[in-house]
Structure formats: structure tokens, C-alpha cells
Amino acid sequence: MANLPQIGLDIGSASIKLVELVPAGSGKWKLMTAASASAAGVAMSEKANLGSLAQTVAKMVREAGARSRRVIASLPEEKVSTHLVELPVLADSEIAQALTWQVEQYIPMPMDQAVWSYQLVKKDAAGGKMEVLLVAAAKILVEAYRQVIETAGLEAVAFETELMATARSTMLPNSPLTAVVDIGAGSTDIGVARTGVLLFARTVAAAGQAFTRAIATTLGLDTSQAESYKNTYGFSNQHLEGKLLAAMKPVLDVISAEVRKTIDFYISKHPGETVKSVVLAGGVAALPDVVSALSANLGLEVVVGNPLVRVEVDQSQAAALKGHEPFYAVAVGLAERDD
């Protein structure tokens, strides 16, 4: 475990989340501070906005009173290429070399324009094979994030995907095979993980903003009012004569179908394994009755992931974060990363 406090920085499509943790021993962490701010529509690909985004991050760090300058940042799942690669059993020192000859066939960009890494997820010595999760992103994207972080006066220690961080923060070391579903504002990230380690991942466009648009279109509301209704009543069938749930159900059905498709694909590659539960994260996870609605669609147990399961918080912090814990799943998982 890192000996120094570190910051997890999650720059989402709608908001920026920051969490600072310090090691507390025995696999635990202590929350030093947490903060969020609007992303104000700034896209990482828009270089003209990077300075403004850096100013926002610097202001967040300053106002939150974060002491660390070490940052682990997330890369958006939809802009990262993730593949589960099977290899013969190799020594740890040989894996990178073996992957070098295979990376290009898995990533949608030339090797010289990519940054890639891997994580060992399974080693079956008896079967003579191993599986590694290969992750690649465009250099220009990684450098944009690095520029934002360094311009904000911070040090970029590492980058990883949103789902890797979410799986780490919301799952215990002994967790069985589980689907992890992070429904954010602009996209839904769906993965399969075990013991907090991501094994497979994909992204779909249907997410929080799609729910809002569905409400606005169906009920004839403006976007801000639709967003307010969504956050207040969620998936409850007891309000507005059930019209809110009816409006959002087609979007929920799309997300549910993609979750099921992801689980089925993983199981088809790993016969004999089963996924019996879903961990839900992201802003939508805080909506009323989302758990029961998603569970009914999937026929599986659905629980809202608690990213503070291994984090010590004081009474005032707990009160401030109450009801918003899933919102910080990525940021907490990033800050918990142990290199």
C-alpha cells in the first residue's frame, strides 16, 4: 500500500469528483476530503478548454484542503480499448514482451499512437494458460489528462479506467464473480469482476441523460424540470400516476439488455462460472427505487455499491456524503490504487 496520501480524480462528462485518502493500515483507508464540481461541458478533447478545466481542478483541491499532490486519474471507459487476452503460462517478467507482439491486433490505433498496460487476472498453471486484461488508450488523450493535472499544480502518478476503480472501491477482497454497472450521466460502463479485480468491460451510450430526455419528451417538460423529477422520484411507480417510470422504462430496458448481454458473453467464454449479483454505481444508483427496477428486469440481486466499505469516515463526513456515496465510487477506487 502507498505510504502517502493520494488523490483520486474522476473527470466525468457532467461533473468532476475528487477524493483524498490516506492509508489507515490492514487494507483500510481514511478519508481526508471529498469534493465535486460541475464539468461545465468541458471535453478533454477540446484543447482550448484544458486550461479552464485545470483551474477548476486546482480550485477544488484548494477549497477541499487536500494536502497531497499525487493524483491517480480515471480515463473514460468509452475512450479506452479493453480486451481479455489469453496467453500460455509465462513468468511475470515475460508477459509484457509476449503482449508486445499481440497488442496491435486488439487496439483500434497504431502502436506508436497508443499507451497500453495490462493486469493479470487469472493464471491456470495446470491448464497451461493465463488471462490478462489489456488496456490501451490514445497517447493524445492521456497527455491531455496529464496536462490538466500538471497545470493544476499536481503530479500525475497513474491513470486507469473508471470500471477498474469502481470494482476496487465497491467490492471486498472475497467478493464472488459479480457484474459491475456504473450508470453515469453520458454513458453506462458494464463489467464483470471478482474480488475487486475487473475481468471484462464494455460501454453503452444509454445513461442518466437519456433518462432525463425520455422524461422531458414523454411528459412535455423542459430539461431542468425533467432532471428534478428524475432525482426526486426516481423509478417509483407511486408518483405522477406511474408516468415517470413508464417514460424511463425503455431506457432501463436497453441498459438491462446490455448488462445481460455482457454477463452472457463472459460466461460463454468461461463455462461453469455464474454471475448471481450486480453492484450498481454512478449517479443513477442514488435514484429512488432504481435497485428494485433493475433487479426486476435482470432477475438478479442488485445492490448499490458502497465505495466507503474500506474507508474510515468521521461523523461529519458521513453526514455530508449520505446518499451520494455511489457518486464517488470511481474517485475512491482511484485513491485506493496501490502500486
Coordinates of all heavy atoms in Angstrom, one line a residue, residues 7 9 16 18 33-38 51-66 69 148-149 151-154:
I7 N -4.7 11.4 -4.2 CA -5.9 11.9 -4.7 C -6.5 11.1 -5.8 O -5.7 10.8 -6.8 CB -5.8 13.4 -5.1 CG1 -5.5 14.3 -3.9 CG2 -7.1 13.9 -5.8 CD1 -5.1 15.7 -4.3
L9 N -8.9 11.3 -8.9 CA -9.6 12.4 -9.7 C -10.4 11.8 -10.8 O -9.9 11.2 -11.7 CB -8.5 13.4 -10.2 CG -9.0 14.5 -11.1 CD1 -9.9 15.5 -10.2 CD2 -7.9 15.3 -11.7
I16 N -16.9 16.7 -11.9 CA -15.6 16.3 -11.5 C -15.7 15.9 -10.1 O -16.2 16.6 -9.2 CB -14.6 17.4 -11.7 CG1 -14.6 18.0 -13.1 CG2 -13.2 17.0 -11.4 CD1 -13.9 19.3 -13.3
L18 N -13.4 14.5 -6.7 CA -12.1 14.4 -6.1 C -12.2 13.8 -4.7 O -13.0 14.2 -3.9 CB -11.5 15.8 -6.0 CG -10.1 16.1 -5.3 CD1 -9.5 17.3 -6.0 CD2 -10.3 16.3 -3.8
T33 N -10.6 14.1 2.5 CA -11.6 15.1 2.0 C -12.2 14.6 0.7 O -11.6 13.7 0.1 CB -10.9 16.5 1.7 OG1 -11.9 17.4 1.4 CG2 -9.9 16.3 0.6
A34 N -13.4 15.1 0.4 CA -14.0 14.7 -0.9 C -14.7 16.0 -1.4 O -15.2 16.8 -0.6 CB -15.1 13.6 -0.6
A35 N -14.8 16.1 -2.7 CA -15.4 17.3 -3.3 C -15.9 17.0 -4.7 O -15.4 16.1 -5.3 CB -14.4 18.5 -3.3
S36 N -16.8 17.9 -5.2 CA -17.2 17.7 -6.6 C -17.5 19.1 -7.1 O -17.7 20.1 -6.4 CB -18.5 16.9 -6.6 OG -19.6 17.5 -5.9
A37 N -17.5 19.2 -8.5 CA -17.8 20.4 -9.1 C -18.4 20.1 -10.5 O -18.1 19.0 -11.1 CB -16.5 21.3 -9.3
S38 N -19.1 21.0 -11.1 CA -19.6 20.8 -12.4 C -18.5 20.8 -13.5 O -17.5 21.6 -13.4 CB -20.6 22.0 -12.8 OG -20.9 21.9 -14.1
G51 N -7.1 24.5 -20.1 CA -6.6 25.5 -19.0 C -7.7 25.8 -18.1 O -7.5 25.9 -16.8
S52 N -8.9 26.0 -18.6 CA -10.1 26.2 -17.7 C -10.4 25.1 -16.8 O -10.7 25.2 -15.6 CB -11.3 26.6 -18.6 OG -12.5 26.7 -17.8
L53 N -10.3 23.9 -17.3 CA -10.5 22.7 -16.6 C -9.5 22.5 -15.5 O -9.8 22.2 -14.3 CB -10.5 21.4 -17.5 CG -10.9 20.1 -16.9 CD1 -12.2 20.2 -16.2 CD2 -10.9 19.0 -18.0
A54 N -8.2 22.8 -15.8 CA -7.1 22.8 -14.8 C -7.4 23.8 -13.7 O -7.1 23.5 -12.5 CB -5.8 23.1 -15.5
Q55 N -7.9 24.9 -14.0 CA -8.2 25.9 -13.0 C -9.3 25.4 -12.0 O -9.2 25.6 -10.8 CB -8.7 27.2 -13.6 CG -7.6 28.0 -14.3 CD -8.1 29.3 -15.0 OE1 -9.3 29.6 -14.9 NE2 -7.2 30.0 -15.7
T56 N -10.3 24.7 -12.6 CA -11.4 24.1 -11.8 C -10.8 23.1 -10.8 O -11.2 23.1 -9.7 CB -12.4 23.5 -12.7 OG1 -13.0 24.5 -13.6 CG2 -13.6 22.9 -11.9
V57 N -9.9 22.2 -11.4 CA -9.3 21.2 -10.5 C -8.5 21.8 -9.4 O -8.6 21.4 -8.2 CB -8.5 20.2 -11.4 CG1 -7.7 19.3 -10.5 CG2 -9.4 19.4 -12.3
A58 N -7.7 22.8 -9.8 CA -6.8 23.5 -8.8 C -7.7 24.1 -7.7 O -7.3 24.0 -6.5 CB -6.0 24.5 -9.4
K59 N -8.8 24.7 -8.1 CA -9.7 25.4 -7.1 C -10.3 24.3 -6.2 O -10.4 24.5 -5.0 CB -10.8 26.1 -7.8 CG -11.7 26.9 -6.9 CD -12.8 27.6 -7.7 CE -13.8 28.3 -6.8 NZ -14.8 29.0 -7.6
M60 N -10.7 23.2 -6.8 CA -11.3 22.1 -5.9 C -10.3 21.6 -4.9 O -10.7 21.4 -3.7 CB -11.7 20.9 -6.8 CG -12.9 21.2 -7.7 SD -13.2 19.7 -8.8 CE -13.7 18.5 -7.6
V61 N -9.1 21.4 -5.3 CA -8.0 20.9 -4.4 C -7.8 21.9 -3.3 O -7.7 21.6 -2.1 CB -6.7 20.7 -5.2 CG1 -5.5 20.4 -4.2 CG2 -6.8 19.5 -6.1
R62 N -7.7 23.2 -3.7 CA -7.5 24.2 -2.7 C -8.7 24.4 -1.7 O -8.4 24.4 -0.5 CB -7.3 25.6 -3.4 CG -6.9 26.7 -2.5 CD -6.5 28.0 -3.3 NE -7.6 28.4 -4.2 CZ -7.7 28.3 -5.5 NH1 -6.7 27.7 -6.1 NH2 -8.7 28.8 -6.2
E63 N -9.9 24.4 -2.2 CA -11.0 24.6 -1.3 C -11.3 23.4 -0.5 O -11.9 23.5 0.6 CB -12.2 25.0 -2.2 CG -12.1 26.4 -2.8 CD -13.3 26.8 -3.6 OE1 -14.3 26.0 -3.7 OE2 -13.4 28.0 -4.0
A64 N -11.0 22.2 -1.0 CA -11.2 21.0 -0.2 C -10.1 20.8 0.9 O -10.3 20.0 1.8 CB -11.2 19.8 -1.2
G65 N -9.0 21.5 0.7 CA -8.0 21.4 1.7 C -7.1 20.2 1.5 O -6.5 19.7 2.5
A66 N -7.1 19.6 0.3 CA -6.3 18.4 0.1 C -4.8 18.7 0.2 O -4.3 19.7 -0.2 CB -6.6 17.9 -1.3
R69 N -0.4 16.0 -3.5 CA -0.3 16.4 -4.8 C -0.2 15.2 -5.8 O -0.1 15.4 -7.0 CB 1.0 17.3 -5.0 CG 0.8 18.7 -4.3 CD -0.3 19.5 -4.9 NE -0.6 20.7 -4.2 CZ -1.5 20.9 -3.2 NH1 -2.2 19.8 -2.8 NH2 -1.7 22.1 -2.7
V148 N -3.8 18.7 -17.9 CA -4.7 19.3 -16.9 C -4.2 19.1 -15.5 O -4.2 20.1 -14.7 CB -6.1 18.6 -17.0 CG1 -7.0 19.0 -15.8 CG2 -6.8 19.0 -18.3
I149 N -3.7 17.9 -15.1 CA -3.3 17.7 -13.8 C -2.0 18.5 -13.4 O -2.0 19.1 -12.4 CB -3.0 16.2 -13.6 CG1 -4.3 15.4 -13.7 CG2 -2.3 15.9 -12.3 CD1 -4.1 13.9 -13.9
T151 N -0.9 21.3 -15.0 CA -1.3 22.7 -15.0 C -2.0 23.1 -13.7 O -1.8 24.3 -13.2 CB -2.2 23.0 -16.2 OG1 -1.5 22.7 -17.4 CG2 -2.5 24.5 -16.2
A152 N -2.6 22.2 -13.1 CA -3.3 22.4 -11.8 C -2.3 22.4 -10.6 O -2.7 22.5 -9.4 CB -4.4 21.4 -11.6
G153 N -1.0 22.1 -10.9 CA 0.0 22.1 -9.9 C 0.1 20.7 -9.2 O 0.6 20.6 -8.0
L154 N -0.4 19.7 -9.8 CA -0.4 18.3 -9.2 C 0.5 17.4 -10.0 O 1.0 17.7 -11.1 CB -1.8 17.8 -9.2 CG -2.9 18.7 -8.5 CD1 -4.3 18.2 -8.8 CD2 -2.6 18.7 -7.0

